[in-house]
């Protein structure tokens, strides 16, 4: 792991898998934007201690395991303030509320696998709130729902924006077969919204720093829509969800060796199916007592 300077007092921890931004308040105190995966904790700990950094606050973009995996740990260690949206504060308040996100896991599994994400928020960011202040340092907030229900982007005082998962990098687009989006219709709207941003640097969590993102935004929109189109092409008859998943796994050469990976594929696929249903390209029917998806008579080029 290493620290990368982005601009002014805005830096990133490069974990190898992602960028975790932080704002340097002074030589000892920092404000982190997200906190990384729990398995990255040891490396993050060593880096913070090596630089004599104290985490006085963490502003969370969204409650996903790779973004809030160390929030509770850092809060306990440094007595850090935690800022997040009201929805995410509710979601991370207990195991049973976390289960509303991890719906395919039992409560016991959520406690075991995601219990480290449970934490108490100190500062609630409202739905219409456009900034949050920590120790009189103001961070602007851009609401970008889609990747998660209440995903936000954060602009530091250096006019550097942390986009988190509102966009993915060109490298990720080259390798990802079924990138996650909670609500694709809203996600695409949020990506369009980012075209209005005028910042000096743009940090994408997975994983790059850009000086301009207009091209990246357009590539992201095209990328997600192309995956939806590919899913549509799979549904060439009346098919159950299981049949669609099986076909995608086989045709897209996705390795699925256990039930956990299968459930991840299902969770990642559903937003694309819901999107296709929302824009009228497919519909849900009952056939012989079984729920199936089938195509509508819609011209794909116009719908997408």
């Amino acid at each position: 792991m290493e620290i990368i300077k982005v601009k002014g007092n805005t830096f990133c921890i490069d974990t190898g898998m992602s960028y975790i931004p932080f704002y340097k308040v002074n030589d000892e105190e920092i404000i982190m934007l997200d906190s990384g995966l729990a398995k990255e904790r040891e490396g993050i700990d060593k880096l913070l201690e090596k630089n004599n950094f104290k985490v006085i606050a963490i502003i969370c973009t969204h409650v996903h395991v790779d973004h809030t995996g160390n929030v509770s740990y850092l809060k306990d260690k440094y007595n850090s303030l935690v800022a997040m949206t009201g929805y995410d504060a509710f979601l991370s308040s207990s195991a049973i509320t976390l289960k509303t996100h991890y719906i395919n896991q039992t409560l016991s599994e959520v406690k075991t696998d995601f219990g480290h994400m449970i934490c108490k928020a100190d500062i609630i960011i409202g739905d219409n709130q456009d900034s949050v202040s920590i120790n009189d340092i103001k961070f602007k907030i851009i609401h970008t729902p889609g990747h998660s229900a209440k995903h936000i982007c954060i602009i530091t005082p250096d006019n550097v924006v942390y986009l988190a998962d509102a966009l993915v990098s060109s490298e990720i687009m080259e390798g990802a077969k079924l990138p996650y989006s909670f609500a694709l219709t809203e996600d695409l709207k949020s990506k369009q919204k980012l075209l209005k941003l005028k910042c000096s640097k743009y940090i994408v969590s997975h994983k790059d720093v850009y000086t301009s993102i207009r091209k990246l935004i357009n590539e992201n929109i095209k990328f997600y829509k192309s995956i939806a189109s590919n899913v549509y092409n799979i549904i060439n008859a009346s098919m159950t969800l299981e049949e669609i998943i099986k076909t995608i796994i086989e045709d897209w050469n996705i390795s699925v060796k256990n039930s956990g990976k299968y459930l991840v594929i299902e969770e990642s696929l559903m937003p694309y199916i819901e999107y296709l249903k929302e824009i009228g390209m497919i519909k849900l029917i009952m056939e012989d007592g079984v729920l199936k998806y089938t195509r509508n008579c819609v011209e794909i080029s116009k719908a997408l």
Side-chain angles (χ1 to χ4, degrees), residues 170-290:
S170 301
E171 182 181 352
I172 292 296
M173 283 187 281
E174 287 176 7
K177 294 179 180 178
L178 204 58
Y180 180 76
S181 176
F182 174 71
L184 186 54
T185 304
E186 293 303 306
D187 199 2
L188 293 172
K189 289 178 184 176
S190 290
K191 294 182 196 311
Q192 287 279 2
K193 181 179 180 180
L194 294 175
L195 287 167
K196 298 178 182 178
L197 279 182
K198 293 182 179 179
C199 295
S200 54
K201 298 278 186 176
Y202 303 83
I203 303 170
V204 176
S205 179
H206 307 287
K207 171 189 123 176
D208 216 333
V209 177
Y210 296 83
T211 55
S212 173
I213 56 168
R214 178 168 290 273
K215 181 182 177 184
L216 185 67
I217 292 168
N218 292 327
E219 288 175 346
N220 266 246
I221 291 170
K222 182 179 178 181
F223 175 61
Y224 280 85
K225 284 186 175 183
S226 71
I227 293 172
S229 177
N230 291 338
V231 172
Y232 174 80
N233 290 333
I234 290 290
I235 307 171
N236 57 11
S238 298
M239 300 174 71
T240 65
L241 177 60
E242 288 74 18
E243 288 170 337
I244 297 169
I245 294 172
K246 184 176 184 293
T247 305
I248 284 175
I249 288 171
E250 292 173 351
D251 288 4
W252 298 5
N253 195 28
I254 300 174
S255 176
V256 179
K257 297 180 180 179
N258 54 56
S259 59
K261 182 62 182 291
Y262 182 94
L263 291 173
V264 169
I265 297 299
E266 181 181 352
E267 182 183 13
S268 299
L269 173 64
M270 279 310 300
Y272 293 93
I273 290 178
E274 290 166 0
Y275 171 70
L276 291 170
K277 191 166 176 282
E278 278 186 304
I279 63 175
M281 292 184 65
I282 64 173
K283 59 185 176 182
L284 191 60
I285 61 170
M286 284 286 292
E287 190 175 276
D288 300 325
V290 178

Side-chain angles (χ1 to χ4, degrees), residues 32-216:
M32 290 182 67
L33 312 183
D34 289 341
S35 67
L37 279 163
K39 71 178 184 180
E40 298 170 327
R41 183 176 300 165
E42 184 179 352
I44 294 169
D45 241 356
K46 287 180 180 178
L47 203 61
L48 294 176
E49 290 172 3
K50 179 183 176 181
N51 288 274
N52 297 313
F53 286 153
K54 177 184 178 182
V55 182
I56 65 168
I58 307 162
I59 308 175
C60 304
T61 60
H62 63 298
V63 175
H64 280 177
V65 68
D66 55 335
H67 290 262
T68 57
N70 296 305
V71 171
S72 181
Y73 169 78
L74 293 169
K75 179 179 174 64
D76 288 344
K77 180 174 181 177
Y78 296 105
N79 194 29
S80 312
L81 293 173
V82 174
M84 57 177 61
T85 69
Y87 171 82
D88 285 336
F90 163 78
L91 194 63
S92 58
S93 63
S94 67
I96 199 163
T97 52
L98 269 174
K99 192 183 182 312
T100 63
H101 176 66
Y102 297 106
I103 57 174
N104 289 323
Q105 275 86 9
T106 67
L107 183 57
S108 296
E109 288 170 338
V110 171
K111 288 177 180 178
T112 300
D113 297 337
F114 306 107
H116 62 284
M117 293 171 63
I118 298 170
C119 69
K120 181 181 182 298
D122 302 290
I123 301 169
I124 303 298
I125 300 169
D127 288 352
N128 299 312
Q129 191 171 330
D130 62 4
S131 67
V132 62
S133 293
I134 309 288
N135 285 17
D136 295 324
I137 300 172
K138 184 178 178 181
F139 295 82
K140 294 179 183 177
I141 301 297
I142 310 295
H143 296 271
T144 49
H147 176 76
S148 70
K150 294 292 181 178
H151 188 285
I152 60 172
C153 300
I154 304 163
I155 302 177
T156 76
D158 296 312
N159 196 34
V160 173
V161 62
Y162 174 43
L163 297 167
D165 288 342
L167 294 177
V168 296
S169 68
S170 301
E171 182 181 352
I172 292 296
M173 283 187 281
E174 287 176 7
K177 294 179 180 178
L178 204 58
Y180 180 76
S181 176
F182 174 71
L184 186 54
T185 304
E186 293 303 306
D187 199 2
L188 293 172
K189 289 178 184 176
S190 290
K191 294 182 196 311
Q192 287 279 2
K193 181 179 180 180
L194 294 175
L195 287 167
K196 298 178 182 178
L197 279 182
K198 293 182 179 179
C199 295
S200 54
K201 298 278 186 176
Y202 303 83
I203 303 170
V204 176
S205 179
H206 307 287
K207 171 189 123 176
D208 216 333
V209 177
Y210 296 83
T211 55
S212 173
I213 56 168
R214 178 168 290 273
K215 181 182 177 184
L216 185 67

